[in-house]
Every structure is written in structure tokens, then in C-alpha cells.
């Protein structure tokens, strides 16, 4: 009973309102994990979004720079694409001829600068944003009619993408059709994709954020609209800490005597276009010297490889002091490969914080005020609690109940808030049901982890399964899903 009350107390909604935006609009939560996609023989990692009528389901990679939401045409892999394992890496395929809702738009002018080998066409189509909390259950969908989509015919990038760049047509359409409160968006990219080698899944929240996914007061930064990736930050220090807890700053010219003076802070773009970090040349040289790194291209992204294993961490310190630390299993995987890219001395490419960075932080973007927020991501035992991100407001983390009962019971994914709409009775059944579902999921996850000890990440250590009696399964489920069917 006590835990039931705990669960209920968590159903409190965070409702904010302003004059200009309807902040009573619920956000749309779209999860990111591996799943079956249209016309592909393998599961692919990405955002669960379908399109067309009938639906062709895809896994879309979020892009913080691309403005269009794009899909691969069936010809994408036929025209000499250099995308590795193209037929199983596009995020699915979309055949516009099979859809009754596609309308081609020949005159549309792209908002994106693209690589020269990239070819595409545009049209209006019905997008289906799926909200799917549990693998074992059905999804609910939010339809975005007449949304502008891009169909990629040729190129070398992963073509299925959620475009959430600063002129995102998807955010524009969602806001214009009053489906969300305003052009706000939040992302946790997760670590369940091959390059990251982890198991934690991610999520998108359109018009909202997942208040259970981060902790503390989020740090605010202005967007730099001049950059292709407008979410850019200034890095003032990078520190390597070894297993004896000794710290070395890569900016310290008394340690790295190649440097005549302490280097200036530098601007780095947060991007999902690459996994590794791209640091200034001299900083990269200091890493090579300190950790004994060598060039490598196993992943096609020039990530450095260590000659000898290193059981330490790397911390990135931003100009406001916010510090993001890569744990040992991210700084160096089982094959000694780091998430740090080699850099040519003459390179003029921007500096990047890639998805290795985003695996550790929660990103919340407000395109109405051109600000964004970063906070440490909760990776373990997070509670999915999507709430509205009212434009111009500061996101607030869900405050976990003080009794560790909540955690002890292992409610690693209680879905509260936005979904429930405050109906007490349903919430009660729902909480019970969730607990029971989670128990099942945890057992499964434990099996998975056992199977794959090598890739086990510290963050995913799970606590004991709860000792709940299972609820009347059918009743709980029926009520829950009736309420959520569109
Ligand atoms: C604001 O959104 C809520 C929830 O969708 C809706 O019920 C209400 O009518 C909207 N108000 C306005 C002024 O559009
Ligand atoms: C991530 O999603 C996959 C489905 O692709 C699921 O099998 C797995 O259990 C999820 N991982 C976690 C940690 O929840
Ligand atoms: C693909 O490569 C072949 C052989 O290299 C070439 O003949 C053909 O023109 C190329 N096709 C495209 C669309 O570039
Ligand atoms: C997206 O649009 C913005 C303008 O709002 C532009 O600065 C940016 O370069 C565009 N993205 C790409 C990939 O071209
Ligand atoms: C697409 O996903 C939705 C939601 O899970 C599902 O209902 C539908 O059957 C799927 N469509 C196909 C063709 O797999
Ligand atoms: C989408 O476009 C079609 C044709 O232009 C129109 O009939 C329909 O009402 C539009 N739907 C929405 C939701 O705008
Ligand atoms: C580390 O990267 C290599 C690629 O060389 C990959 O084969 C291996 O599975 C990765 N290991 C882990 C634990 O992620
Ligand atoms: C790394 O160091 C920590 C303590 O600093 C230790 O608990 C852990 O076992 C070490 N891991 C390896 C692989 O040596
Ligand atoms: C290294 O830095 C960490 C974090 O700031 C600190 O906890 C630790 O005490 C430092 N180690 C030493 C030896 O000063
Ligand atoms: C939770 O406990 C801590 C210390 O045990 C206390 O400082 C804090 O005020 C408590 N928070 C609430 C919400 O009770």
C-alpha cells in the first residue's frame, strides 16, 4: 500500500501556462531503441516513427542539424552508396508509391545544405509518431498530417532521420497544428547502438521533456544559430582521472610542455552526426601522449585506440563549470577503442561533442527562445515521466521520493504524468500493472545481461526485483489501453 501511495504521489502533473503558448498540450514521447523496420531484415536502432497509409514503420536517427525529416527510398542502396552495410543501416525503407497519403511537392526548396552526393525529393505525407513504453505491448500513435518529408534517393549518410535542426519542419508542423505547446524538444540518445556498445535506450520528447531522465537544475546555454549544429558550448577544461583518482588537465602547460601557455577555451558543437569527440589538435596530441593512443579506423570514424588498457575517466568541463564525465567503459571499450577522434594539425573542421557525450547528458532545446539546457542523464532506474516543456521556461527534474522504497522496489520505468491525466483509479491499477510489467522486463534484462557480460555497463546494474503480487492482469491492461487508444 505504501508503495501504491508513492506511485500515486508521482502522478502529479507539472502544468505551466503562459499567454502565448498553450502549455496544457501534452508532449509526445517517442522512444529510441532497436526494432523491426520496413523492408529490412535486421533490427535497427532509432526513433519509432512510421509514415504513409498504410504505415511503413522506420527507425529514425535524431539529427540536431538537419531541418527535414527524411526517409530512404528503396533505391538508396542501389546507387553506389558508401554507407556501410547499406541495406541494413538506413533505418528502414519508404516506398511512396505504396502510400495513399503521399503528395509530391516538386517545387519545394530544401532548407538543408547537403553533401554533393546526396539526392532527394520532397512531399507531404502523414507521419505517425509512436509512443511505445513497453516492448511487449502495442503503441499509441500521434498523426501529423501533411507534414513535409524528404525522401533520400542517393547518398552516404544514414538517411532515416528526425530533423530537429533550428528550422525543423516537424517541430513547425507539430506546433502549427497545435499538437504540442511550442517548438521545444528533448533528447536522450541512449547507448543501445552498436558504436556505443551499451544497452540503455533513448527517447525523444516533442514539446516536452522526460523529467525522470535527468537530475539537478539544468544548465542553460544560448544556441549559436550561426552553427549548423546550433547547440554549441564552450569547453574550458578536459581532465583525465586515473584509477588512483589522480587528475591531469589536458590544458595544463606545465604537464604538456609542448604548449607554451594554457590553451584558450574552445567552442564545440553538440552533434549526433558522429559518435566521437573532435577536440583541437593540441588537446588531441595531449591525449595521445597521456594515454598512449594510436590511430585506428575500426569504426570508420578515426577514433583513437589505446595501446594499453586504461581504467580511468575523462571529464569535459564547460565554461559555466558543468562537467560531464565519461566512465571507464565509455572512455575505452573492450577493444581499447576510445570515443576521441584523431585530428589533423591543419584541419579547420569544427570541434564536436558527439553521441558519446550525449550518452551521458539529457538535452532540452527551446527553439522559441533559442536556448537549450543540459543536465546529467539518469541512465539507471529512470522513470519515464514526460511533461510539457513550455517555451521560455526552465525544465524541472522529477524529484524522487525520499524513501528509497521507490528505488528499492526497482520501478525502473514507471510511466507517469503525461499519460495518466490524473485519474486516480486508473493510476492505481496502472501503477500495479507497471510494477508487474517491470518485474517481467527486469528478469528478461537480467538474462540478457548475463548472456552478454562483456558489454555490461555499470549504469545498468539492476536492483532486486520487487516483491509485488501481480495485479488482475487483464483488467488493469484493458483500462489502461482503452484510455490511450487514439
Ligand atoms: C489548450 O490545450 C488543451 C489540451 O489539449 C485544450 O483542451 C484547450 O482547449 C487548449 N486551449 C486553447 C486556448 O487552445
Ligand atoms: C532496449 O530496447 C530493447 C528493444 O529493442 C529491449 O530489448 C531492451 O530490453 C531495452 N533495454 C533496456 C535497458 O531497457
Ligand atoms: C556506380 O558505379 C558504377 C561503377 O563504378 C558506375 O558505372 C555508375 O555510373 C555509378 N552510378 C552512379 C549513380 O554514380
Ligand atoms: C537548418 O536551418 C538553419 C536555418 O534555420 C540553417 O542554419 C542550418 O544550416 C540548416 N541545416 C542544415 C543541415 O543545413
Ligand atoms: C507499425 O507500428 C505500429 C505500432 O506498433 C503497428 O500497429 C503496426 O502494425 C506496424 N506496421 C507494420 C506494417 O509493421
Ligand atoms: C492535407 O492536405 C489535403 C490536400 O491538400 C487536405 O485535403 C487536408 O485537409 C489537409 N489536412 C490537414 C490536416 O491539413
Ligand atoms: C568495442 O569495439 C569493437 C570494435 O572494434 C567491437 O567489436 C566491440 O564489440 C566493442 N566492445 C564493446 C564492449 O563494446
Ligand atoms: C577499475 O578501477 C576500479 C576502481 O577504481 C575497480 O573497481 C575496477 O575493478 C577496475 N576495473 C578494471 C577492469 O580493472
Ligand atoms: C580529482 O578530481 C576529482 C573531482 O574533482 C576529485 O574528487 C579528486 O579528489 C581529485 N583527485 C586528486 C588526487 O586531487
Ligand atoms: C530528503 O532527505 C534529505 C536528507 O536525508 C533532506 O535534506 C531533504 O530535505 C529530504 N527531502 C524531502 C523532500 O523530504
Amino acid at each position: 500500500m505504501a508503495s501504491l501511495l508513492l506511485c500515486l504521489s508521482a502522478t502529479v502533473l507539472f502544468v505551466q501556462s503562459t499567454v502565448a503558448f498553450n502549455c496544457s498540450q501534452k508532449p509526445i514521447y517517442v522512444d529510441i531503441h532497436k526494432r523491426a523496420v520496413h523492408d529490412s531484415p535486421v533490427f535497427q536502432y532509432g526513433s519509432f516513427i512510421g509514415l504513409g497509409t498504410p504505415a511503413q514503420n522506420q527507425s529514425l536517427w535524431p539529427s540536431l542539424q538537419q531541418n527535414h525529416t527524411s526517409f530512404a527510398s528503396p533505391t538508396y542502396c542501389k546507387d553506389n552508396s558508401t554507407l556501410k552495410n547499406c541495406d541494413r543501416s538506413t533505418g528502414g525503407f519508404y516506398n511512396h508509391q505504396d502510400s495513399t497519403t503521399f503528395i509530391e511537392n516538386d517545387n519545394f526548396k530544401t532548407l538543408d545544405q547537403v553533401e554533393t552526393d546526396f539526392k532527394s525529393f520532397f512531399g507531404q505525407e502523414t507521419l505517425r509518431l509512436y509512443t511505445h513504453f513497453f516492448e511487449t505491448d502495442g503503441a499509441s500513435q500521434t498523426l501529423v498530417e501533411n507534414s513535409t518529408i524528404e525522401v533520400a534517393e542517393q547518398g552516404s549518410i544514414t538517411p532515416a532521420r528526425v530533423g530537429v535542426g533550428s528550422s525543423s519542419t516537424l517541430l513547425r508542423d507539430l506546433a502549427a497544428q497545435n499538437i504540442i505547446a511550442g517548438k521545444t524538444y528533448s533528447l536522450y540518445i541512449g547507448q543501445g547502438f552498436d558504436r556505443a556498445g551499451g544497452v540503455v535506450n533513448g527517447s525523444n520528447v516533442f514539446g516536452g521533456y522526460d523529467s525522470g531522465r535527468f537530475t539537478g537544475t539544468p544548465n542553460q546555454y544560448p544556441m549559436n544559430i550561426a552553427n549548423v549544429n546550433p547547440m554549441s558550448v564552450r569547453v574550458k577544461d578536459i581532465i583525465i582521472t586515473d584509477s588512483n583518482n589522480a587528475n591531469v588537465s589536458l590544458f595544463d602547460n606545465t604537464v604538456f610542455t609542448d604548449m607554451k601557455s594554457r590553451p584558450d577555451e574552445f567552442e564545440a558543437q553538440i552533434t549526433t552526426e558522429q559518435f566521437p569527440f573532435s577536440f583541437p589538435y593540441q588537446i588531441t596530441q595531449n591525449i595521445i601522449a597521456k594515454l598512449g593512443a594510436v590511430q585506428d579506423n575500426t569504426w570508420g570514424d578515426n577514433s583513437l585506440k589505446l595501446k594499453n588498457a586504461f581504467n580511468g575517466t575523462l571529464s569535459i568541463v564547460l565554461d559555466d563549470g558543468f562537467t560531464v564525465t565519461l566512465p571507464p567503459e565509455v572512455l575505452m571499450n573492450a577493444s581499447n577503442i576510445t570515443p576521441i577522434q584523431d585530428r589533423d594539425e591543419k584541419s579547420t573542421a569544427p570541434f564536436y561533442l558527439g553521441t558519446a557525450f550525449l550518452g551521458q547528458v539529457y538535452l532540452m532545446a527551446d527553439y522559441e527562445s533559442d536556448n537549450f539546457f543540459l543536465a546529467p542523464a539518469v541512465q539507471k532506474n529512470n522513470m519515464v515521466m514526460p511533461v510539457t516543456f513550455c517555451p521560455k521556461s526552465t525544465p524541472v527534474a522529477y524529484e524522487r521520493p525520499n524513501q528509497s522504497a521507490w528505488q528499492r522496489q526497482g520501478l525502473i520505468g514507471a510511466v507517469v504524468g503525461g499519460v495518466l491525466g490524473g485519474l486516480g483509479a486508473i493510476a492505481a491499477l496502472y501503477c500495479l500493472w507497471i510494477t508487474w510489467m517491470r518485474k517481467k522486463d527486469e528478469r528478461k534484462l537480467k538474462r540478457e545481461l548475463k548472456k552478454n557480460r562483456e558489454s555490461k555497463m555499470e549504469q545498468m546494474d539492476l536492483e532486486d526485483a520487487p516483491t509485488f503480487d501481480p495485479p488482475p492482469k487483464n483488467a488493469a491492461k484493458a483500462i489502461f489501453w482503452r484510455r490511450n487508444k487514439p
Side-chain angles (χ1 to χ4, degrees):
M1 250 315 136
S3 29
L4 192 61
L5 288 174
L6 263 180
C7 181
L8 287 177
S9 71
T11 64
V12 173
L13 296 176
F14 295 76
V15 180
Q16 288 158 309
S17 65
T18 64
V19 184
F21 302 100
N22 184 352
C23 294
S24 316
Q25 292 288 16
K26 301 244 166 76
I28 300 164
Y29 178 93
V30 175
D31 69 346
I32 298 178
H33 63 67
K34 280 192 180 170
R35 65 174 55 79
V37 294
H38 195 70
D39 277 349
S40 166
V42 296
F43 275 34
Q44 297 187 30
Y45 189 82
S47 319
F48 193 14
I49 294 180
L51 79 169
T53 314
Q56 299 179 40
N57 292 342
Q58 317 278 325
S59 260
L60 272 59
W61 185 248
S63 171
L64 300 174
Q65 66 175 46
Q66 193 171 301
N67 295 303
H68 298 297
T69 293
S70 57
F71 302 88
S73 94
T75 63
Y76 193 79
C77 295
K78 299 202 172 107
D79 286 334
N80 304 346
S81 177
T82 57
L83 177 64
K84 211 171 158 191
N85 301 324
C86 191
D87 67 326
R88 43 198 66 196
S89 308
T90 57
F93 290 101
Y94 164 66
N95 194 339
H96 69 281
Q97 277 144 354
D98 293 345
S99 172
T100 57
T101 36
F102 179 79
I103 305 164
E104 187 157 358
N105 189 342
D106 287 327
N107 305 318
F108 190 85
K109 232 180 121 16
T110 179
L111 299 170
D112 290 328
Q113 311 145 19
V114 290
E115 301 287 327
T116 46
D117 71 342
F118 188 79
K119 237 176 68 192
S120 66
F121 60 91
F122 288 87
Q124 310 298 118
E125 179 59 287
T126 299
L127 288 182
R128 299 162 185 274
L129 310 183
Y130 293 115
T131 299
H132 185 225
F133 294 115
F134 299 108
E135 204 188 344
T136 42
D137 282 277
S140 62
Q141 65 175 340
T142 303
L143 294 182
V144 195
E145 285 175 47
N146 290 353
S147 193
T148 302
I149 63 152
E150 178 171 30
V151 185
E153 294 179 284
Q154 199 183 309
S156 300
I157 59 167
T158 301
R161 293 171 164 221
V162 199
V164 284
S166 54
S167 296
S168 166
T169 50
L170 175 57
L171 286 177
R172 183 198 65 196
D173 292 343
L174 284 168
Q177 295 181 27
N178 287 318
I179 300 172
I180 57 173
K183 288 184 285 174
T184 55
Y185 167 79
S186 303
L187 172 68
Y188 179 62
I189 194 84
Q191 304 184 353
F193 50 102
D194 293 347
R195 178 65 183 88
V199 291
V200 185
N201 295 318
S203 66
N204 305 272
V205 189
F206 299 95
Y209 57 89
D210 180 357
S211 64
R213 184 58 97 174
F214 68 98
T215 53
T217 306
N219 303 274
Q220 182 177 340
Y221 306 90
M223 290 186 190
N224 183 350
I225 299 296
N227 289 344
V228 184
N229 290 284
M231 283 173 272
S232 301
V233 289
R234 301 195 66 80
V235 176
K236 75 170 179 194
D237 204 355
I238 300 171
I239 295 164
I240 291 179
T241 306
D242 68 18
S243 51
N244 299 321
N245 219 17
N247 300 316
V248 170
S249 163
L250 298 174
F251 282 54
D252 188 344
N253 58 310
T254 65
V255 175
F256 301 99
T257 48
D258 289 1
M259 302 189 298
K260 292 194 183 63
S261 60
R262 191 182 166 85
D264 292 333
E265 58 179 43
F266 63 91
E267 183 185 54
Q269 303 187 14
I270 297 175
T271 188
T272 60
E273 307 298 314
Q274 63 179 51
F275 180 76
F277 291 80
S278 199
F279 292 139
Y281 173 74
Q282 187 59 52
I283 300 287
T284 310
Q285 290 304 305
N286 295 351
I287 292 172
I288 291 172
K290 172 75 186 156
L291 299 181
V294 293
Q295 293 181 346
D296 186 76
N297 200 22
T298 305
W299 290 96
D301 60 11
N302 294 314
S303 292
L304 296 166
K305 182 171 180 163
L306 304 188
K307 277 179 284 192
N308 301 306
F310 177 71
N311 183 17
T313 64
L314 180 134
S315 300
I316 292 114
V317 186
L318 305 187
D319 60 352
D320 62 348
F322 178 51
T323 303
V324 175
T325 298
L326 302 186
E329 66 272 25
V330 175
L331 182 53
M332 188 202 79
N333 90 351
S335 318
N336 286 15
I337 297 172
T338 71
I340 297 149
Q341 208 168 46
D342 190 26
R343 192 174 178 96
D344 194 85
E345 188 167 5
K346 296 190 194 71
S347 172
T348 55
F351 308 122
Y352 291 115
L353 307 180
T355 42
F357 178 79
L358 287 169
Q360 307 299 318
V361 301
Y362 195 55
L363 173 90
M364 294 158 273
D366 178 356
Y367 285 114
E368 304 283 359
S369 69
D370 289 342
N371 280 305
F372 69 101
F373 298 85
L374 298 176
V378 175
Q379 297 175 35
K380 175 182 158 184
N381 288 1
N382 83 299
M383 287 163 269
V384 180
M385 305 184 85
V387 297
T388 302
F389 183 178
C390 194
K392 303 184 168 113
S393 72
T394 299
V396 179
Y398 168 67
E399 199 170 320
R400 284 158 174 75
N402 234 3
Q403 296 99 315
S404 55
W406 180 280
Q407 279 92 348
R408 258 190 277 114
Q409 278 150 11
L411 296 175
I412 60 171
V415 182
V416 203
V419 179
L420 289 173
L423 286 183
I426 290 177
L429 282 171
Y430 178 71
C431 287
L432 284 168
W433 176 74
I434 287 263
T435 312
W436 176 78
M437 283 306 295
R438 272 295 150 194
K439 211 164 129 185
K440 226 172 81 183
D441 273 16
E442 279 188 24
R443 268 191 237 113
K444 198 170 133 228
L445 184 61
K446 277 192 173 152
R447 278 200 303 276
E448 290 290 308
L449 288 174
K450 207 164 165 188
K451 237 176 32 205
N452 198 0
R453 275 259 147 82
E454 271 213 329
S455 67
K456 174 176 164 296
M457 306 196 69
E458 197 224 340
Q459 301 93 301
M460 282 313 301
D461 285 340
L462 290 173
E463 282 143 13
D464 287 342
T467 51
F468 264 71
D469 290 333
K473 176 177 149 200
N474 291 335
K477 256 181 146 161
I479 290 170
F480 174 64
W481 288 115
R482 203 183 307 135
R483 194 171 140 63
N484 279 283
K485 285 246 161 71

